[in-house]
Amino acid sequence: MSRQDHAPIAEAMRAYAEDGALAFHTPGHKQGLGAHPLLRELITEQGLREEVSLMEELDDLHEPTMCIREAQELAAELYGADRAYFMINGTTGAIHTMVLGALQPGDTVLAPRNAHRSLVGAFILAGVQPVWIQPEISGTYGIAMGLRLADIQKAVEAHPEAKALVLVYPTYYGVTVDLQAIADFVHAHGMLLLVDEAHGPHLRFSEELPPQALDAGADMAAQSTHKIVGAMTQASMLLTKGPRVDDERVRQAASLLQSTSPNQLLLASLDIARLQLHEAGAERIGRAVQLSDQLRRDIDAIPGLHVMGTDEMTTPGASGLDRTKITVSVRGIGLSGTEAEHILRHAYRIQCELSDAYNLLFIISYADNEDTCSRLLAALQGLARDHRKSGSFAAAAEIPPVPAQGMTPREAFFAPVERVPFEQAAGRLAAEQVMFYPPGIPLLMPGDEIGRDMLDYIRSMQELGRKVVGPEDASLQRLKVVRR
């Protein structure tokens, strides 16, 4: 029997519940005895009996010495990491920990402009100076791809003081770059490579997919175990590897940022997700890739629809693709992505991962099978057949260049603010984030100089029906700006 063949956290929880000790401790529902019937139905009786924490047998996430320590060691072994840290506040927490564990206040860090909002939060907390790099933009799909090595090299030349590069790998849409070449370059310049790998916890388990970040030279990688593989929502991991990482500093940062009352069910779900990947990861992820490949071919055969494919990943900012992410352009049937999402959800009971101006994104995971893929295909066939509009969907505004920075995100976050009409915000410094969710990539962030082109782009996306997230006024009648 391999060390990997059991789930130490889940087993410790079961043993505590079966021991029969009368609870005079938290949580207040007392192992389900006081739980409302709706909660008992939601969690199950057994789940509530095991929903305890901080008991001696259940270890301590902040100072693990027993089952949590073993579970993290097993996860590190499975992923080829030196350390694995279980995160119960999502990959947002993992990214915050990664930045606070690697950088000092005032440090310069290079980052892609298509980073998730959680990275902006990390920069505010850490007090670092970001240098934003514009990723390659796909004219066909209107989305950000990856960073070009040449652009990274230019940024390092202009900012030799930079301590780290943060990358998004893969992107939300599954796009990857030559990460090994980037790692070799930044390491040669004494920099850390930190990776937001939220959408890549499955990459290690199929040779048909791009390599995972740690295997391509990353020093740290934050993964959303809940997004693609089998953990509960809000459960993620931070993986570290190599001599450049100060693991004690990372541990302290994780302890600083995480709850002192971690939910044991979330920890157990990480443990069990790791066990499942050990038992059948290669088989089940491999099957997901096969299903995705067939689905891609079938969708591409639908008149008016087009799937972003590996044959298009031939540029410096897009050299690889996670094929389990299926990006479908609906421009050819005259719909915006937002319109297509609404139709699929309400006419066909199909929910995509996200929509944007031109596209729909679908995730095929280890949970899918021929039936789920057939239902998706049938819905897309119906969408193209019965909901087509005459002509092609008009081109949306192009993503504007990276705004200049008038302040660091932290300085702007704490600065005095005022509220101005949206149309009059050009030339001012943003004091809040503005984005559309998903994917949660800020178009404006604290400290940005607001340009007219950015205001026009944001308004055009709003008019397409995309969900505004971040600003105090989600209707975008007014924006918060730094007071003059």
Side-chain angles (χ1 to χ4, degrees):
M1 180 176 176
S2 165
R3 289 181 69 235
Q4 292 281 340
D5 287 332
H6 74 122
I9 296 177
E11 291 161 10
M13 292 167 61
R14 179 64 54 89
Y16 182 82
E18 291 178 351
D19 187 57
L22 185 58
F24 289 95
H25 55 71
T26 59
H29 63 70
K30 296 289 186 77
Q31 295 179 280
L33 293 176
H36 189 282
L38 286 175
L39 185 62
R40 288 202 297 271
E41 183 179 348
L42 180 67
I43 304 298
T44 78
E45 297 283 357
Q46 183 64 31
L48 286 168
R49 280 194 294 271
E50 297 186 24
E51 204 275 294
V52 295
S53 63
L54 305 180
M55 302 303 104
E56 179 183 1
E57 303 96 317
L58 301 182
D59 210 353
D60 182 343
L61 179 62
H62 297 268
E63 297 285 347
T65 59
M66 296 182 294
C67 62
I68 296 176
R69 178 175 178 174
E70 183 181 2
Q72 292 185 148
E73 288 174 348
L74 292 173
E77 180 182 279
L78 186 71
Y79 277 98
D82 292 341
R83 299 283 189 279
Y85 299 88
F86 283 7
M87 312 301 297
I88 47 81
N89 54 335
T91 307
T92 293
I95 288 171
H96 290 178
T97 297
M98 181 168 66
V99 171
L100 264 69
L103 299 172
Q104 304 280 349
D107 280 352
T108 298
V109 56
L110 311 181
R113 187 62 189 199
N114 62 328
H116 188 262
R117 62 188 298 188
S118 57
L119 188 63
V120 181
F123 291 168
I124 290 172
L125 290 172
V128 299
Q129 172 66 62
V131 173
W132 300 108
I133 305 174
Q134 179 77 297
E136 185 174 289
I137 304 297
S138 168
T140 302
Y141 300 97
I143 60 175
M145 311 296 262
L147 293 188
R148 305 175 185 91
L149 177 57
D151 291 334
I152 296 169
Q153 291 168 334
K154 290 177 184 176
V156 171
E157 182 179 351
H159 297 277
E161 77 282 5
K163 296 295 196 302
L165 168 70
V166 181
L167 282 188
V168 179
Y169 173 101
T171 69
Y172 210 147
Y173 297 87
V175 176
T176 62
V177 292
D178 185 349
L179 193 63
Q180 187 66 64
I182 293 172
D184 292 343
F185 173 76
V186 299
H187 289 157
H189 285 75
M191 298 168 59
L192 286 164
L193 178 58
L194 312 177
V195 178
D196 172 357
E197 198 178 17
H199 288 273
H202 60 307
L203 296 181
R204 184 170 170 84
F205 302 94
S206 173
E207 294 182 355
E208 296 292 314
L209 299 177
Q212 72 163 0
L214 284 190
D215 292 339
D219 299 294
M220 287 196 259
Q223 294 186 346
S224 292
T225 317
H226 67 94
K227 278 188 170 72
I228 308 297
V229 289
M232 293 173 65
T233 296
Q234 203 172 309
S236 297
M237 293 189 203
L238 176 61
L239 306 175
T240 71
K241 186 175 183 179
R244 301 173 188 86
V245 179
D246 183 344
D247 277 297
E248 175 55 22
R249 172 81 180 280
V250 174
R251 185 196 67 79
Q252 290 177 352
S255 183
L256 178 71
L257 294 162
Q258 299 218 81
S259 171
T260 54
S261 300
N263 188 298
Q264 207 75 14
L265 298 178
L266 296 180
L267 294 173
S269 77
L270 284 166
D271 192 20
I272 294 168
R274 186 272 316 156
L275 175 63
Q276 185 178 37
L277 288 169
H278 160 69
E279 291 176 336
E283 175 187 350
R284 300 191 72 164
I285 302 302
R287 180 61 177 153
V289 174
Q290 293 176 357
L291 290 168
S292 299
D293 286 346
Q294 183 59 54
L295 188 56
R296 287 169 165 278
R297 291 189 289 269
D298 291 341
I299 296 172
D300 248 345
I302 300 174
L305 299 186
H306 177 66
V307 178
M308 186 168 74
T310 55
D311 58 329
E312 298 170 279
M313 303 295 110
T314 57
T315 63
S319 58
L321 183 67
D322 170 9
R323 306 200 303 275
T324 66
K325 298 293 187 70
I326 300 180
T327 300
V328 181
S329 171
V330 294
R331 294 176 68 178
I333 58 174
L335 297 175
S336 70
T338 308
E339 291 173 317
E341 177 183 7
H342 183 83
I343 294 167
L344 285 178
R345 176 65 183 87
H346 297 285
Y348 298 94
R349 298 297 186 266
I350 293 290
Q351 180 58 58
C352 63
E353 171 66 16
L354 68 79
S355 63
D356 58 38
Y358 298 148
N359 314 296
L360 300 169
L361 174 64
F362 304 94
I363 296 175
I364 304 301
S365 83
Y366 74 95
D368 284 294
N369 54 36
E370 287 85 354
D371 179 63
T372 62
C373 292
S374 295
R375 287 179 58 190
L376 173 56
L377 178 63
L380 289 172
Q381 290 169 334
L383 177 74
R385 180 185 62 245
D386 301 331
H387 301 274
R388 181 188 299 264
K389 291 184 178 179
S390 58
S392 294
F393 175 68
E398 293 186 0
I399 301 175
V402 175
Q405 289 184 81
M407 289 182 170
T408 68
R410 182 180 177 88
E411 289 169 339
F413 181 83
F414 288 107
V417 303
E418 58 183 323
R419 293 153 184 84
V420 300
F422 182 86
E423 303 300 337
Q424 296 176 23
R428 304 297 297 273
L429 296 184
E432 60 185 350
Q433 296 189 63
V434 178
M435 70 203 81
F436 296 98
Y437 210 94
I441 296 171
L443 294 164
L444 282 176
M445 58 186 67
D448 280 353
E449 294 184 8
I450 303 172
R452 172 53 53 189
D453 54 351
M454 182 61 76
L455 293 175
D456 292 343
Y457 179 79
I458 291 172
R459 187 66 84 194
S460 71
M461 292 298 104
Q462 183 191 31
E463 290 171 353
L464 287 175
R466 303 198 59 198
K467 181 182 178 182
V468 178
V469 172
E472 179 180 83
D473 179 6
S475 70
L476 293 182
Q477 298 304 304
R478 304 178 76 81
L479 277 181
K480 267 196 332 189
V481 299
V482 175
R483 187 183 303 163
R484 284 175 173 165

